[in-house]
Amino acid sequence: RLCSEVLGVSAIRVKGTVTKIDKCGRAGDAFMAKRVKGVTYRVNGDAIRAGVWLKAKTRTVKVRAVASGTGHAVVGQDTWTLRFTNERCATPPQVLPDTGA
């Protein structure tokens, strides 16, 4: 169905986006929900700030985009399950490689 049929009015179609950074270890893991007018993002039912990088407190974060008002309808993907690894960071070599100099 079209958004306007569901809501009974002419709704503005909005699309959310979520990006993640999965660095080595857990300290640098973060995600950001794109700031979009008409979209509110939630993690575990709580609203999160859009447009800023947020630290991932767990290895799996589920982000959901919801319309922030009756005049908007979220289209496309509305849920993102972000999985963060716990891979070890690379260690520098103990002996510097020959540079040819």
Side-chain angles (χ1 to χ4, degrees):
R1 292 181 152 186
L2 294 174
C3 299
S4 58
E5 291 176 15
V6 174
L7 298 174
V9 295
S10 181
I12 299 170
R13 298 164 54 119
V14 291
K15 185 174 183 178
T17 303
V18 176
T19 306
K20 75 173 186 172
I21 295 176
D22 187 7
K23 293 187 174 186
C24 60
R26 293 279 300 126
D29 294 347
F31 65 98
M32 179 176 60
K34 181 180 177 185
R35 185 175 298 165
V36 177
K37 185 176 181 178
V39 177
T40 301
Y41 298 92
R42 298 189 175 278
V43 173
N44 296 328
D46 296 326
I48 60 169
R49 289 183 59 197
V52 297
W53 288 101
L54 302 170
K55 180 168 177 35
K57 296 178 182 176
T58 59
R59 290 188 63 182
T60 302
V61 177
K62 189 172 185 178
V63 182
R64 183 174 181 107
V66 295
S68 59
T70 58
H72 295 89
V74 175
V75 295
Q77 184 175 359
D78 66 352
T79 303
W80 296 263
T81 301
L82 310 173
R83 291 183 175 82
F84 297 92
T85 62
N86 195 20
E87 294 180 16
R88 298 182 72 171
C89 297
T91 56
Q94 298 300 323
V95 178
L96 293 176
D98 184 17
T99 63

